[in-house]
Amino acid sequence: MPTQAKAAVIDEITERFQNSSAAVLTEYRGLTVAQLTQLRRSLGEGSSYAVVKNTLTKRAADAVGFSDLGPLLNGPTAIAFIEGDPVEAAKAIRDFAKANPALIVKGGVVDGRPVDASEVTRLADVEPREVLLAKLAGAMKGNLTKAAGLFQAPLSQVARLAAALQEKKAADAPAEAAAPAAEAAPATDDAAAADTTPETDAAAADAASE
């Protein structure tokens, strides 16, 4: 491929990395053209799925700060460039891979951060938006201003916030459990003091009478 043509391809891939909410690298060995077309259509409007040259893609990835993708660029590689919600695209890729085991997810980039294949799978398993928003609304204790902003947020961001709040809740649980125990300790001491006081007073009275 002439140098000018290579430069044009690198520029195109670079632009796709920059304009996509996510990019999922896959190995497509054994898939037919019809199957690849089916996968491309399942990704949603604005997204694309294209076979790429590893060397040119690596240069494009380096140019946008995604050097971590280098080790994934080996063997037959095709990239799903996602425009829109990465979660829905991840679900489409997962479902296609179940029906077509020849598709292998290598990893990729989601919301500007590198992810491995397992993270792409976890993204595909994210609960529906309605469920996550219900959980967040409860965690925010009725803060409607914050909750309202999440209705337009990408599902991947909603999922990360929900996970963070769940972790915080789990971390706070031991402290909350310890608080009642700490409050109960003085009450026990007071009760013991109250119980022993009459006995002490009675003994003193008996001694005085003797």
Side-chain angles (χ1 to χ4, degrees), residues 13 21 35-37 39-40 42 61 64 76-77 81-82 106 123 127 138 144 146-147 150-151 167 174 183 200 209:
I13 297 174
S21 58
Q35 288 172 321
L36 294 177
T37 300
L39 173 57
R40 186 179 298 111
S42 71
V64 292
T77 303
F81 287 102
I82 312 303
K106 299 180 178 183
L123 191 63
E127 295 175 301
L144 297 180
K146 290 182 179 179
L150 292 171
F151 281 97
E167 291 176 2
E183 294 172 358
T200 305
S209 62

Side-chain angles (χ1 to χ4, degrees), residues 85 87 111 126-134 136 147 149-165:
D85 195 334
V87 172
D111 293 334
V126 166
E127 295 175 301
R129 177 182 292 272
E130 295 78 8
V131 175
L132 290 174
L133 289 175
L136 287 172
L150 292 171
F151 281 97
Q152 300 301 323
L155 190 51
S156 58
Q157 294 180 13
V158 177
R160 286 202 300 273
L161 179 55
L165 286 173

Side-chain angles (χ1 to χ4, degrees), residues 133-206:
L133 289 175
K135 290 182 177 181
L136 287 172
M140 290 179 177
K141 299 180 179 178
N143 191 325
L144 297 180
T145 302
K146 290 182 179 179
L150 292 171
F151 281 97
Q152 300 301 323
L155 190 51
S156 58
Q157 294 180 13
V158 177
R160 286 202 300 273
L161 179 55
L165 286 173
Q166 289 290 339
E167 291 176 2
K168 183 178 185 301
K169 184 176 180 180
D172 291 344
E176 293 174 356
E183 294 172 358
T188 302
D189 294 340
D190 291 341
D195 291 340
T196 57
T197 299
E199 296 175 3
T200 305
D201 292 342
D206 292 340

